[in-house]
Amino acid sequence: MMNRIAFIKLRGNFTTKSFLLHSETPFSSFHIGLHSDTRNVSSNRSLFDKITNLNDALNLFDEMSHRHPLPSVVKFTQLLNVVTKMKHFTYALNLFKQMCSLGVPLDKYTLSIAIKCCCQLHRTKDGFALLGCCFRRAISPNVYIYNALLDGLVLEDKILEAEMLFKKLIKQKLCEPSVVTYSTMIKGLCKFGNNVTALALLRLMEQKNCKPDIVTYNTIIDSLCKDKMMDDAFKLFKEMVFEKGILPNVITYTSLIRGLCNLGRWDEASKLLKEMEDENISPNVQTFTVLVDAFCKEGKVEEAEAVINIMVERGKAPDLVTYSSLIDGYCLRREMFKAREIFDSMTLRGLVPNVVTYSSLLNGYCKNLNIEKAEQMFREMSGKGLKPDVVTYNTMIQGFFQVGRCVDAHKLFDEMYAQGQIPNECTYRIVLEGLCKNRQVEEALSLFHLVGDSKLNSDIAMYNILINGAGKYGKVDIAKNLFHDLIDKGLQPDVHIKSPT
DNA sequence: CTAGGGTTAG
């Protein structure tokens, strides 16, 4: 549980930072039509059902926008929805902007889709700007719009703002929260490891006569499983099935099986797998991948391979995630030849390795101190048009430090910036650790001070690295200063620090 | 014409 919270905290910091980079609000300047259009509500769905790719949708939009008279807002919104369903949120927003300039009279449907797009693009701020447009245009926002905004805040890890919005909805009666509203808020709480409040909210919604459904239960059950609280997870599972009469689905079972596997409770996991099959719920690729991953993390690649064979027999093709887990498994066992073989076999199966796949193998090479092979992978992925992400850079930088190539590590650290990848807390940890390991404690210290006021400077883990690094090479003064520094900041020294004497 | 849940890398 601690790990999850630490992880989220870490991610939260940097999403906030990167969000500030695009905080311009492009919608405030838009003209939004005033008329409400009630013509032509009868839908011609078949027209839009046929659109299966982005280009067709964009072409149709273009054609529609040249018609005289313009098609109704309903037609435009249907098309907008098609693009959104394809998850092309940026394109959908562009279409929305075009609708604005064409003077198509927008309604709450159009706006709810546009708001959803902003939120899914981590631009919830723009979503709220559009909410303002709703108010100005006397379009009263409904529960769909608030759900989209709430989800956006959760997505950006702005849990406090999400809670504030949620409470505001209820207190000011802005809309009647639906089961989706509650479930979204519950998801946010779970994401921050706050299962207790999530459960309290489950009870609250029941009190308010809003019936939790399979999604609500799955969200909490999954969170409990992630926190290894299997007893609570099964208690909730039983409540859902026997008290509420809600049938579990493949997602419910997959969460439970993952929880058991991660605790090494293989027998119970296999029992559950059998149980779900008895209930006629077939495990899917994700269910099997959970098993593969769990086996691999314990170095049991033979078992993982057996699961993959079963998958294939049942016509469930292992995907990128499955193979990435298997590659990790072989890397862990230092069987790099085998890892490479899996990697190559993926291509033969028509799977295109992505950044994660490359990073897995690259990580394997680094951990096995075959830095040249890792560099080769790094170059190869760039050659294939895959942009290394923060994790890739972190892995490679750590690899360089491990073999004492500090200059290359430094170069890559700079390149990371140049490529627009913002270093995260892991990056700094790796760099600080790397510098200390390579007897460059002073440099680590100056980097630490350079980063300045960020959370980093009040992170006990960073102090641990520096103090231990300084202590190891007899730089007692530095260690002492750091120790006093952290006490001054009110940080609690933990067991990982050897108090300098 | 609108909404929510499960899997991967350091």
Side-chain angles (χ1 to χ4, degrees):
Chain A
M1 177 134 137
M2 282 310 289
N3 278 338
R4 279 179 68 199
I5 295 172
F7 176 69
I8 293 294
K9 263 163 83 186
L10 168 165
R11 221 147 51 82
N13 284 340
F14 289 94
T15 45
T16 314
K17 212 172 199 174
S18 55
F19 182 70
L20 291 175
L21 296 176
H22 350 231
S23 60
E24 76 271 29
T25 51
F27 296 109
S28 41
S29 56
F30 285 153
H31 164 75
I32 292 190
L34 276 169
H35 337 276
S36 81
D37 187 313
T38 47
R39 291 168 293 148
N40 238 345
V41 184
S42 67
S43 61
N44 182 3
R45 294 229 48 177
S46 57
L47 180 68
F48 295 101
D49 285 346
K50 270 188 249 161
I51 312 261
T52 49
N53 69 65
L54 180 63
N55 257 329
D56 289 353
L58 298 179
N59 287 334
L60 179 59
F61 185 93
D62 193 52
E63 188 264 311
M64 280 166 68
S65 62
H66 287 97
R67 277 189 220 164
H68 297 283
L70 276 179
S72 72
V73 61
V74 176
K75 292 274 183 287
F76 274 111
T77 306
Q78 280 175 322
L79 184 54
L80 195 63
N81 192 33
V82 169
V83 179
T84 307
K85 285 266 153 70
M86 294 173 183
K87 297 199 184 291
H88 287 299
F89 302 115
T90 308
Y91 282 100
L93 271 184
N94 278 329
L95 296 185
F96 173 77
K97 288 178 195 173
Q98 286 182 49
M99 285 172 70
C100 292
S101 29
L102 284 167
V104 176
L106 307 177
D107 61 14
K108 64 181 169 194
Y109 297 103
T110 329
L111 278 156
S112 82
I113 295 174
I115 290 173
K116 188 197 151 103
C117 289
C118 291
C119 293
Q120 294 298 309
L121 287 166
H122 293 245
R123 289 166 50 185
T124 307
K125 216 170 188 167
D126 292 333
F128 277 102
L130 282 173
L131 179 71
C133 289
C134 289
F135 287 121
R136 283 201 292 283
R137 304 301 168 192
I139 293 169
S140 90
N142 56 14
V143 65
Y144 288 89
I145 289 180
Y146 286 116
N147 288 347
L149 290 167
L150 192 65
D151 198 37
L153 291 174
V154 169
L155 198 67
E156 290 184 33
D157 296 325
K158 296 180 175 169
I159 189 69
L160 290 176
E161 287 173 53
E163 280 190 64
M164 268 156 52
L165 177 65
F166 180 76
K167 285 178 182 158
K168 194 170 150 181
L169 291 185
I170 295 177
K171 268 201 191 124
Q172 303 185 9
K173 296 192 187 337
L174 293 175
C175 71
E176 189 60 39
S178 67
V179 58
V180 176
T181 322
Y182 282 106
S183 300
T184 305
M185 192 65 241
I186 285 174
K187 175 177 73 176
L189 291 164
C190 289
K191 195 173 175 187
F192 277 75
N194 196 342
N195 296 327
V196 176
T197 313
L199 277 164
L201 201 53
L202 176 73
R203 301 307 167 214
L204 182 78
M205 66 189 283
E206 289 171 322
Q207 249 179 51
K208 301 225 171 177
N209 262 329
C210 180
K211 284 197 168 60
D213 62 12
I214 180 78
V215 178
T216 325
Y217 275 103
N218 281 350
T219 307
I220 307 181
I221 288 173
D222 181 67
S223 180
L224 291 168
C225 290
K226 279 189 179 129
D227 290 339
K228 307 192 193 302
M229 300 163 72
M230 296 313 293
D231 290 348
D232 296 279
F234 279 110
K235 210 174 117 193
L236 209 57
F237 175 78
K238 283 177 187 138
E239 172 189 310
M240 175 180 96
V241 179
F242 298 115
E243 289 175 35
K244 301 290 161 61
I246 299 170
L247 290 177
N249 61 15
V250 62
I251 296 180
T252 327
Y253 277 110
T254 303
S255 291
L256 290 166
I257 289 173
R258 194 194 40 230
L260 292 171
C261 286
N262 288 343
L263 286 167
R265 289 158 67 170
W266 303 103
D267 292 348
E268 289 160 273
S270 97
K271 229 188 262 170
L272 210 55
L273 192 66
K274 193 176 170 320
E275 183 186 312
M276 74 185 276
E277 302 210 77
D278 291 344
E279 305 281 337
N280 268 328
I281 300 166
S282 336
N284 60 18
V285 177
Q286 294 184 46
T287 319
F288 285 121
T289 300
V290 161
L291 295 168
V292 170
D293 187 54
F295 279 130
C296 286
K297 286 210 162 73
E298 290 204 8
K300 302 181 174 181
V301 279
E302 293 82 5
E303 283 88 341
E305 294 270 16
V307 173
I308 289 180
N309 286 336
I310 294 169
M311 287 177 79
V312 175
E313 270 169 33
R314 303 220 190 153
K316 309 267 186 252
D319 64 9
L320 275 180
V321 180
T322 323
Y323 285 118
S324 291
S325 292
L326 190 60
I327 289 173
D328 279 343
Y330 279 113
C331 289
L332 189 71
R333 297 231 307 213
R334 306 189 162 246
E335 296 177 28
M336 291 312 294
F337 183 78
K338 211 48 199 156
R340 179 72 213 205
E341 203 177 275
I342 306 292
F343 183 87
D344 292 333
S345 78
M346 292 172 59
T347 320
L348 299 174
R349 289 168 209 272
L351 290 169
V352 184
N354 63 10
V355 180
V356 177
T357 330
Y358 270 98
S359 296
S360 288
L361 197 55
L362 193 146
N363 178 45
Y365 284 127
C366 286
K367 292 286 134 62
N368 290 292
L369 304 182
N370 191 343
I371 198 78
E372 287 78 18
K373 271 271 177 14
E375 283 182 275
Q376 195 189 318
M377 296 304 295
F378 191 82
R379 277 193 301 268
E380 190 182 310
M381 67 186 287
S382 305
K384 297 239 162 99
L386 292 169
K387 271 178 71 134
D389 67 7
V390 184
V391 178
T392 324
Y393 278 108
N394 288 354
T395 311
M396 201 67 224
I397 290 171
Q398 191 171 39
F400 278 136
F401 274 125
Q402 265 165 355
V403 296
R405 285 169 60 178
C406 299
V407 177
D408 289 313
H410 219 109
K411 265 190 209 155
L412 209 59
F413 184 69
D414 291 337
E415 184 192 312
M416 182 171 178
Y417 264 115
Q419 294 297 321
Q421 294 295 327
I422 316 288
N424 59 19
E425 290 186 19
C426 280
T427 320
Y428 288 109
R429 183 180 53 74
I430 287 165
V431 173
L432 291 186
E433 241 165 25
L435 289 170
C436 287
K437 226 177 249 161
N438 288 281
R439 299 177 164 263
Q440 301 186 20
V441 182
E442 282 89 353
E443 193 160 343
L445 200 65
S446 64
L447 176 72
F448 184 66
H449 291 308
L450 194 73
V451 181
D453 61 332
S454 73
K455 283 239 171 76
L456 213 64
N457 259 337
S458 38
D459 186 341
I460 191 72
M462 302 296 167
Y463 277 98
N464 289 348
I465 294 167
L466 288 169
I467 293 176
N468 291 335
K472 202 163 143 194
Y473 297 110
K475 317 229 179 218
V476 183
D477 287 348
I478 294 180
K480 267 188 186 163
N481 284 338
L482 283 164
F483 194 77
H484 291 310
D485 190 24
L486 81 87
I487 299 288
D488 284 347
K489 283 190 183 160
L491 292 171
Q492 196 64 44
D494 63 21
V495 286
H496 300 293
I497 294 189
K498 301 163 195 89
S499 169
T501 44

